[in-house]
Amino acid sequence: MPTDAFTTNSPRQPRTVLITGGTSGIGFAAAMGVLRSDGPWHVIVANRDATRAKPAVDQLRAAATAGNTVESLSVDLASLESVSTFATDLVARITAGTLPPFQAVVCNAGVQAGASMTTTEDGYESSFGVNHLAHFFLVEQLRPVLTAPARVVVVASDTHDPAMKAGVPVPAWSTAQELAYGKLGASAAKDGAFVAGQRRYSTSKLANIFYTYELARRLPAGVTANAFNPGLVPGTGLQRSAPAPVRIIAKHILPRMTWLVRRVMTPNVHTAEESGAALASLAIDPSLSDTTGAYFDGRTPINSSEESYDTAKSNDLWNVSEALVQR
Ligand SMILES: NC(=O)c1ccc[n+]([C@@H]2O[C@H](COP(=O)([O-])OP(=O)(O)OC[C@H]3O[C@@H](n4cnc5c(N)ncnc54)[C@H](OP(=O)(O)O)[C@@H]3O)[C@@H](O)[C@H]2O)c1
């Protein structure tokens, strides 16, 4: 159930921006960016646990520009049943006119695996299941109310691209069916457990881009889909499942040493606020209303990896994903 009923006094038609993983890291900063801009926007910050999310939601509400509203809704993306319940409620509310139509669905939530492979409630490998499949299912369920003008923005990562040398083992695509159960391609054969987990993450981010391009080809005119790379954003919760030394370095040391990170890892380092603001602009900037099927590095459209344009793989991912969400 909504924790904050939708109300606005604005004479303009409000629109809904849904952000998964909206109470921490880049998603929180993106929600803040939307809420601080001219709307009226109704921002739904999806989270796993309303009580845990409350301080972040209160902070967003306090910072919102007059006329913008925020609502906290819970969904567990590691459960297709939870996604279905969540989406069904949103479709019913939009259809009934008690929730404004979608401006954007921002598929931001993500997990980076730890030292051992984990699975979702439905038995799929977690980074494939949460980062890709749950968002695929969410958007498919929302399709009846994703009418023009509306946008889907998928948060990917430059870890999908071997040319970017992003400091994470590069993707090893096998087939969508195999990846759903954690089986990477042949180049990962010698990986230990931690490296394999990191590689499943970068491979799931490649899936995010395959999915975005395929979605853009399948959406009706006026509904767009774009992928987004936030760059390296130290200090978010993404490494929460990593072994303690990695977690401590990622959470407490790298954010204080961005000059060193720029020199030895990647120049593409940002604060959550910088990347969140860029993500917010993909969701609401009027100049992007016709842009679809693009990959943005921050605010700049660039080419994604060579492999990511392989339409046989993206088509296979789509077909397999459709089958995997049939329950
Ligand atoms: N940080 C970076 O350097 C970086 C770089 C490239 C791409 N990205 C991408 O940016 C996105 C946001 O990551 P972040 O860095 O901001 O990390 P973060 O702070 O950990 O945010 C991830 C969000 O996803 C949510 N989430 C995880 N599992 C979920 C589940 N089963 N159901 C619902 N929500 C779930 C988390 O919710 P809880 O708070 O409940 O755990 C959290 O709010 C991810 O897609 C990530 O891959 C990050």
Side-chain angles (χ1 to χ4, degrees):
M1 287 295 290
T3 54
D4 186 19
F6 170 70
T7 52
T8 180
N9 296 321
S10 170
R12 275 192 291 160
Q13 169 70 23
R15 300 188 69 81
T16 295
V17 177
L18 165 64
I19 304 177
T20 65
T23 54
S24 72
I26 298 160
F28 173 80
M32 190 63 92
V34 174
L35 286 163
R36 282 185 170 154
S37 63
D38 286 344
W41 307 119
H42 181 60
V43 176
I44 297 177
V45 283
N47 55 79
R48 261 188 282 196
D49 179 331
T51 306
R52 200 155 46 86
K54 189 172 182 309
V57 175
D58 289 347
Q59 207 182 325
L60 290 168
R61 189 168 291 129
T65 297
N68 292 338
T69 48
V70 60
E71 174 179 346
S72 165
L73 278 184
S74 293
V75 59
D76 182 0
L77 296 168
S79 158
L80 292 175
E81 188 177 342
S82 175
V83 174
S84 178
T85 305
F86 176 76
T88 301
D89 176 55
L90 292 176
V91 171
R93 288 172 63 197
I94 290 181
T95 306
T98 55
L99 184 68
F102 275 122
Q103 164 69 24
V105 176
V106 181
C107 302
N108 164 75
V111 287
Q112 192 159 5
S116 56
M117 192 177 103
T118 57
T119 55
T120 65
E121 191 179 288
D122 308 283
Y124 302 126
E125 189 280 318
S126 295
S127 43
F128 182 92
V130 171
N131 302 358
H132 163 66
L133 193 64
H135 286 119
F136 170 89
F137 190 43
L138 174 63
V139 172
E140 283 306 287
Q141 298 267 294
L142 295 177
R143 284 280 279 272
V145 291
L146 263 182
T147 49
R151 308 174 185 193
V152 178
V153 184
V154 180
V155 177
S157 165
D158 52 8
T159 59
H160 87 278
D161 186 352
M164 297 306 289
K165 303 192 182 350
V168 170
V170 301
W173 195 264
S174 46
T175 64
Q177 183 70 29
E178 289 179 332
L179 289 168
Y181 297 98
K183 190 170 185 314
L184 290 159
S187 60
K190 293 194 174 138
D191 285 356
F194 178 66
V195 172
Q198 298 274 300
R199 204 182 296 283
R200 287 192 188 98
Y201 171 78
S202 65
T203 307
S204 77
K205 293 285 125 181
L206 176 57
N208 285 154
I209 298 176
F210 280 141
Y211 166 59
T212 307
Y213 292 163
E214 201 57 46
L215 180 65
R217 288 189 277 273
R218 293 168 187 248
L219 286 169
V223 185
T224 66
N226 293 295
F228 171 72
N229 169 40
L232 178 61
V233 184
T236 69
L238 195 60
Q239 296 286 352
R240 74 191 72 187
S241 305
V246 178
R247 206 169 56 235
I248 291 163
I249 290 169
K251 187 82 188 166
H252 301 291
I253 298 178
L254 295 185
R256 292 182 175 81
M257 303 186 77
T258 46
W259 57 272
L260 185 63
V261 177
R262 274 197 185 93
R263 279 194 144 185
V264 300
M265 288 176 73
T266 168
N268 201 6
V269 187
H270 301 283
T271 63
E273 289 70 28
E274 287 166 348
S275 290
L279 179 56
S281 79
L282 287 194
I284 62 171
D285 183 340
S287 73
L288 296 173
S289 59
D290 296 329
T291 303
T292 193
Y295 171 67
F296 283 81
D297 178 37
R299 294 169 192 263
T300 310
I302 63 167
N303 287 336
S304 51
S305 72
E306 210 180 314
E307 184 177 17
S308 69
Y309 295 102
D310 184 330
T311 51
K313 286 178 181 165
S314 64
N315 197 37
D316 175 58
L317 176 66
W318 187 279
N319 292 337
V320 168
S321 300
E322 270 185 339
L324 294 174
V325 299
Q326 299 297 326
R327 293 163 316 118

